[in-house]
Amino acid sequence: MHIVHLSLTNFRNYRHLELSLPPHLVVIQGDNAQGKTNLLEAIHVLATTKSHRASSDRELVHQAATQEDLPFTRLFAEVQKARGTIKVEVILRLERALPGEAFVAPPSAMPVRKRIRVNGVPRRSIDLVGQVNVVIFSAQDIDIITGTPTLCRRYLDLVNSQTDSRYLRSLQRYHKVIVQRNHLLKLLQQRQAQPEQLEFWDRELVESGSYLIMQRQHLVRTLNKLAQEIHRELSSGTERLEIVYLPSVGKEEVQLAEIESHFRQALDQTRRREVAQGMTLVGPHRDNLRFQANEADMSRYGSRGQQRTIALSLKLAEAKYIHTQVGDSPILLLDDVLSELDRGRRHHLLDAISSFQQVLITAVELNYFEPSFLAQAAQFQVRQGNIEKG
Ligand code: ATP
Ligand code: MG
């Protein structure tokens, strides 16, 4: 698939942008703080409804727009897919006053309302995710290798949600169940509820959670195979990469029934502690990942360069995985990653990505690209929230 046209209004530092894009390789060059990352972020929002870096949707609204009477941000893209074109649209509206309230909120406190349309028809977020598939490469990918379990889970959720709508539904359900169940556990802790009331929430937790575990297991196994091969090449045959899924319950099961039964057992065993602490202690919200090279845990023993290479192998594996899962080439977004790599790795990366249908690469300098690569690429220049063909 590839983006044919992108239109942004009041998104970050883009006041108004109309950008037609060709398929294949697109290089976007710009100095620091001109809007390179913002552009890729906009595409990420259109694909997943969420930013890959903002902590709140409010950040996405152009600061000058927040002073206007009806502040809004609009993102729109027309995307050519293997089976026809699709138009996706995300609108964020800042509400100055809540309905029925005279109080006028300052910009920093204005609630954000998100509206989504697919082919002009209003839809829920869940219906947009997976329509346009993207894989984003950024310097922060290294945090998945070194970082907290939260980032690992968020990563697995993002990939799975893009390729499996049941996964996204189960995930949303699971999060709701955790909130309700934790609330009940707190009441039990204070002896304000009956233990039997847990049964319903246990069933719901096991049902939605086991599906997450099964799909995460499948994803990690597949990514591991793909990344292993890529990593062997990137490390010139010296490193054997192993990505290990560390589920909070169960081990290597593949059958849903098996996972469910282990999950239920784990709940039975931890019930007393859960009540004492007033929260759910086992389940996929406690999962983790481990990255090993030649048996060593890379979060502790990996050199910076090693971790960076593993992140790259993981992302290339993800792109391949999505391609086979959805039967269409995902759009690759590379945010200034070339400057971080040595010449050999850069060459391998550029070689590996050129088989995808559309690749958007941002860079501060063009001299990281090989001339033969640049000759094949369309070039654009970004300057203060404007983009021109270069
Ligand atoms: P670098 O090379 O440093 O990574 P970049 O081109 O990727 O730079 P961006 O992260 O895209 O830069 O940011 C471009 C500019 O957008 C920055 O100056 C930033 O302050 C500005 N910006 C971010 N959010 C908003 C917003 N909500 N309203 C207006 N400007 C914003
Ligand atoms: Mg940037």
Side-chain angles (χ1 to χ4, degrees):
M1 60 185 74
H2 72 274
I3 299 172
V4 178
H5 191 82
L6 179 73
S7 165
L8 301 177
T9 310
N10 294 332
F11 179 82
R12 293 273 195 191
N13 70 331
Y14 291 95
R15 211 43 168 145
H16 197 76
L17 176 78
E18 294 294 337
L19 182 64
S20 292
L21 290 168
H24 208 43
L25 305 171
V26 178
V27 171
I28 297 143
Q29 188 270 328
D31 290 342
N32 293 135
Q34 300 304 307
K36 299 183 299 297
T37 302
N38 293 349
L39 181 78
L40 302 189
E41 182 183 36
I43 297 168
H44 194 273
V45 172
L46 281 165
T48 66
T49 78
K50 286 191 190 115
S51 159
H52 65 294
R53 61 172 178 164
S55 51
S56 134
D57 286 338
R58 200 175 302 116
E59 279 174 43
L60 307 179
V61 181
H62 194 298
Q63 257 152 18
T66 60
Q67 307 304 323
E68 293 166 357
D69 275 348
L70 295 169
F72 78 100
T73 291
R74 177 176 179 265
L75 305 92
F76 168 90
E78 185 182 331
V79 179
Q80 178 74 48
K81 302 221 289 183
R83 288 186 223 102
T85 58
I86 182 170
K87 290 177 180 152
V88 290
E89 187 176 354
V90 174
I91 293 172
L92 305 172
R93 257 180 218 294
L94 290 187
E95 313 270 306
R96 230 165 234 295
L98 293 171
E101 280 183 33
F103 168 71
V104 177
S108 61
M110 286 192 258
V112 183
R113 223 174 243 265
K114 197 183 297 190
R115 292 272 157 75
I116 283 155
R117 277 193 217 133
V118 177
N119 291 330
V121 182
R123 297 274 182 207
R124 299 168 303 172
S125 297
I126 201 165
D127 301 316
L128 178 67
V129 181
Q131 296 284 347
V132 178
N133 299 105
V134 296
V135 177
I136 192 155
F137 294 64
S138 80
Q140 282 80 44
D141 294 340
I142 202 168
D143 298 343
I144 304 170
I145 316 300
T146 62
T148 57
T150 318
L151 285 177
C152 293
R153 291 191 291 269
R154 197 182 298 158
Y155 175 71
L156 297 177
D157 290 340
L158 185 67
V159 181
N160 270 331
S161 300
Q162 280 204 54
T163 53
D164 176 3
S165 59
R166 182 175 165 195
Y167 187 91
L168 183 54
R169 281 198 305 276
S170 302
L171 185 67
Q172 291 187 338
R173 179 73 193 144
Y174 186 77
H175 286 318
K176 281 189 193 141
V177 173
I178 288 274
V179 172
Q180 297 292 330
R181 193 170 179 276
N182 285 352
H183 180 68
L184 180 57
L185 285 166
K186 285 217 172 63
L187 290 177
L188 285 168
Q189 184 191 37
Q190 296 154 8
R191 298 182 192 282
Q192 289 174 5
Q194 298 303 315
E196 303 80 61
Q197 285 174 268
L198 262 181
E199 272 166 39
F200 172 78
W201 294 111
D202 283 2
R203 239 187 347 263
E204 291 283 316
L205 192 76
V206 168
E207 195 185 311
S208 51
S210 298
Y211 187 74
L212 300 182
I213 297 172
M214 181 174 77
Q215 295 306 82
R216 283 179 182 180
Q217 223 152 32
H218 170 76
L219 173 64
V220 176
R221 200 169 300 140
T222 316
L223 283 179
N224 183 42
K225 262 193 224 124
L226 292 167
Q228 222 160 48
E229 212 171 295
I230 297 164
H231 194 73
R232 193 182 314 119
E233 235 174 285
L234 280 177
S235 66
S236 315
T238 58
E239 274 179 25
R240 185 184 154 78
L241 172 68
E242 192 80 48
I243 310 174
V244 188
Y245 176 49
L246 304 169
S248 136
V249 290
K251 288 182 292 288
E252 273 289 290
E253 306 93 349
V254 264
Q255 301 297 331
L256 195 58
E258 250 182 304
I259 298 170
E260 285 177 349
S261 110
H262 277 116
F263 200 167
R264 218 165 271 124
Q265 275 173 23
L267 282 177
D268 288 341
Q269 282 162 8
T270 41
R271 170 121 334 127
R272 207 186 284 233
R273 273 202 296 137
E274 288 195 320
V275 173
Q277 296 186 31
M279 64 171 153
T280 306
L281 297 175
V282 290
H285 63 298
R286 294 284 174 107
D287 284 355
N288 201 358
L289 282 178
R290 189 170 59 222
F291 294 86
Q292 289 175 188
N294 298 340
E295 318 280 308
D297 181 348
M298 284 296 106
S299 71
R300 292 159 187 236
Y301 302 109
S303 77
R304 207 64 193 158
Q306 249 177 334
Q307 292 168 341
R308 201 168 279 144
T309 309
I310 293 172
L312 189 58
S313 306
L314 178 70
K315 283 286 156 168
L316 286 171
E318 176 191 336
K320 275 192 177 177
Y321 174 78
I322 292 183
H323 197 166
T324 39
Q325 274 315 99
V326 305
D328 202 345
S329 165
I331 298 160
L332 306 196
L333 309 170
L334 279 71
D335 194 14
D336 204 9
V337 286
L338 293 183
S339 57
E340 298 238 316
L341 303 171
D342 62 35
R343 193 196 285 260
R345 270 156 233 213
R346 220 153 48 212
H347 179 81
H348 186 95
L349 173 64
L350 293 177
D351 195 46
I353 59 172
S354 53
S355 61
F356 287 87
Q357 204 184 331
Q358 191 177 48
V359 186
L360 273 62
I361 316 176
T362 69
V364 176
E365 302 281 354
L366 291 182
N367 52 16
Y368 288 116
F369 298 96
E370 292 157 12
S372 60
F373 182 89
L374 277 184
Q376 298 173 52
Q379 291 181 40
F380 290 83
Q381 288 255 332
V382 49
R383 204 172 295 124
Q384 293 181 358
N386 285 302
I387 300 186
E388 278 170 20
K389 197 131 204 305

